[in-house]
Amino acid sequence: MNIEVYPDKGQYRPSEEGNVCVEISSAAKGKAVLHAAFYKMHNLVFEKNYEIMLDGRNRFFTVPFQTDSCKWECYGVEVNVTLSDGKKLIASTAFDVADHWKRAPRYGFLSDFDKEEIGKLEDVEALNKFHINIVQFYDWMYRHDELVPKEDLFIDPMGRELSYKVVKEKVDAVHDKGMAAIAYGAVYASLKDYHERHKHLGLYKRTGDPFHLINTFYIMDISPNSEWNETIVSEFQKVIEEGFDGIHMDQYGFPKKAVRQNGEDKSLVDLQHCYPALINQTEKAVKEVDKQAGLIFNNVSNYPVHTTAKANQDVVYIEVWPPVIHYRELKQLIDRGRELSENKHVILSAYLPPFHKEYENYNVEHAENGALMTMATIFASGGYHLLLGEHYKALTTAYYPDYGELRQSFIQEVSQYYDFIVRYGPLLYDHDLLDVSMTYTGGVNTEVQWESDHPVVPNGDLNTIWSIVKQHPDYLIIHLINLIELENDYWEHSKENRPETQADISCSILMERPIKAIYLTSPDHTSIMPKELNFEVVNHEQGEAAKFWIPELKIWDMIYVEWE
């Protein structure tokens, strides 16, 4: 017997009708009762019973609902089916409602567009079950300097034969699922033949040699007065006219400074100051076609986020590379991106090479162990992760077609993590959240105190329990990430084992305000329904504290204190 539930769209628009899809695989026959309950965090907002008939085969049912008129709201859905013999099938899901994907940018990817893909939309269905609401179409285009192909079948710059008919079909399928289709486009890459014809628009080393990537993609001058800008921005505009919802503006992280060779002008170009102007120029152009069109710019290795964060784009996107190698450094990227951008959401493109079959000492279970640690770190820190795409695949490198496979058992775990970040979005991503990890716990700070077999500290050190504490006008939120008995704290590495499960952790919270309730939830538990914790009032040097116990910590627990 099995039950699977998921919404019929990755994200809904305000006041839109939706459906929770319920797939039941059971040999049972006869009448059954399907109970669906809708929650905002722990608060029940709607429930209803439905009488259904089972006939021993796989059955599909839908539970309709009406969304709110809002900017952004998040819901959890608990479904249980009571069979005629009294046995129960239990499952859960989540969904959110937003006026634009930038409210909660859950980024995924598609990269397979060959002619054999015509009519095959299982990849979009898979993305929907992870609640992906924006999809990057990676290397979908004819050329980097001429994006839209003139014919259906064409050869892309990496030698793949692609079908534009397939691209368009998948764009339509993505739209049908409430997702935005974002077209990949490199901001300064031309092919070699284009560069040969426009050498005065290239960027060069001090030796006079042109900058290029793998002798295929040649770097063009993106100074505000460059002719290249008009060319590439015009191409981006055509993409929106073709039905895409935005542009993923890529760069390669180099050069940071280069020399132009345009006639007598051989001046130095500092690209960190060119990117914001190009982003703003692109934003103006694409919104002339579609006012809702969005932009995502790639800060490769976090460069140059200090100049681009406030540009006219919808999120802060960072492609993570060494020297950012530790879990705590991922949080630092997210914190700084939010601060510099004045609270744009942050997406980390953090590739996981252990999922690739050519990875040294490849072991899929070890890859999964490492992936959950990285996902927990990014999500608990208030960031989003570009990882998932195609038909249950994971990114392993910057060239997306070299993706890795996910096992069915791991897909279920990842699905629960994504259910979790959707259901508890306000506690993870609300712009009113204030990180007080380093001022409320650890060292001389006593607002949040711990008793445990291992140190509970806000530093993210190996062989500790990492505490992340955030304030909200209505809540105090505490994340615990278990780093006990891991062989390393490198985010892109596999792990032979998951952290050692911890039990009976005691926490005391200064009662700065009267407490209404304390809740515990985790994506690692059988259910992500929040559990209310009992607490006792104890003495504290600043007054009174609420003391409670956390029964179990596997990888990531979240405690939230609801103030009166």
Side-chain angles (χ1 to χ4, degrees), residues 364-373 410 495-498:
V364 67
E365 183 178 343
H366 296 174
E368 293 167 357
N369 296 340
L372 287 181
M373 295 300 305
F410 188 59
K495 303 288 182 289
E496 289 189 15
N497 299 291
R498 299 188 182 186

Side-chain angles (χ1 to χ4, degrees), residues 144-146 186-191 194-195 198 200-202 218-236 278 281:
H144 284 52
D145 45 58
E146 185 182 346
V187 298
Y188 54 22
S190 76
L191 294 190
Y194 184 97
H195 180 267
H198 303 86
H200 64 291
L201 298 181
Y218 281 70
I219 310 301
M220 308 302 285
D221 182 9
I222 58 168
S223 301
N225 59 351
S226 172
E227 296 173 32
W228 167 258
N229 285 16
E230 295 299 325
T231 298
I232 195 61
V233 170
S234 175
E235 289 297 312
F236 290 157
L278 182 56
Q281 182 182 355

Side-chain angles (χ1 to χ4, degrees), residues 160-322:
R160 299 189 305 162
E161 183 182 56
L162 304 183
S163 165
Y164 192 51
K165 183 178 180 180
V166 169
V167 172
K168 297 285 284 184
E169 182 181 62
K170 291 188 185 291
V171 168
D172 291 341
V174 161
H175 289 162
D176 288 343
K177 290 296 181 182
M179 309 170 188
I182 307 297
Y184 174 93
V187 298
Y188 54 22
S190 76
L191 294 190
K192 188 173 184 178
D193 61 336
Y194 184 97
H195 180 267
E196 287 293 319
R197 299 193 305 271
H198 303 86
K199 289 185 176 181
H200 64 291
L201 298 181
L203 287 180
Y204 296 84
K205 304 174 185 178
R206 291 189 181 276
T207 60
D209 298 320
F211 277 105
H212 61 79
L213 179 67
I214 61 173
N215 201 31
T216 301
F217 307 113
Y218 281 70
I219 310 301
M220 308 302 285
D221 182 9
I222 58 168
S223 301
N225 59 351
S226 172
E227 296 173 32
W228 167 258
N229 285 16
E230 295 299 325
T231 298
I232 195 61
V233 170
S234 175
E235 289 297 312
F236 290 157
Q237 200 171 37
K238 291 175 187 176
V239 167
I240 304 302
E241 291 170 351
E242 288 290 303
F244 281 97
D245 303 293
I247 307 294
H248 181 100
M249 302 177 66
D250 193 26
Q251 52 129 343
Y252 303 146
F254 76 92
K256 295 180 173 68
K257 294 182 175 66
V259 176
R260 66 167 63 93
Q261 292 188 8
N262 190 351
E264 296 297 320
D265 186 359
K266 300 185 184 299
S267 57
L268 187 70
V269 178
D270 189 344
L271 275 78
Q272 65 178 324
H273 301 303
C274 299
Y275 292 126
L278 182 56
I279 293 169
N280 294 344
Q281 182 182 355
T282 302
E283 189 255 0
K284 181 180 178 181
V286 298
K287 286 190 181 298
E288 289 176 1
V289 180
D290 179 359
K291 291 182 179 179
Q292 292 293 308
L295 290 184
I296 297 174
F297 174 81
N298 185 5
N299 294 277
V300 178
S301 198
N302 206 32
Y303 171 82
V305 71
H306 59 286
T307 64
T308 62
K310 290 184 181 179
N312 296 339
Q313 57 182 321
D314 293 282
V315 300
V316 174
Y317 176 98
I318 301 167
E319 187 178 58
V320 189
W321 295 101

Side-chain angles (χ1 to χ4, degrees), residues 389-421:
E390 291 302 336
H391 194 199
Y392 300 117
K393 304 299 192 298
L395 289 179
T396 65
T397 180
Y399 185 59
Y400 292 11
D402 288 338
Y403 46 63
E405 301 275 348
L406 299 184
R407 295 190 300 177
Q408 184 60 44
S409 58
F410 188 59
I411 290 168
Q412 294 171 357
E413 289 189 277
V414 175
S415 293
Q416 183 142 300
Y417 265 65
Y418 275 76
D419 286 347
F420 189 86
I421 68 170

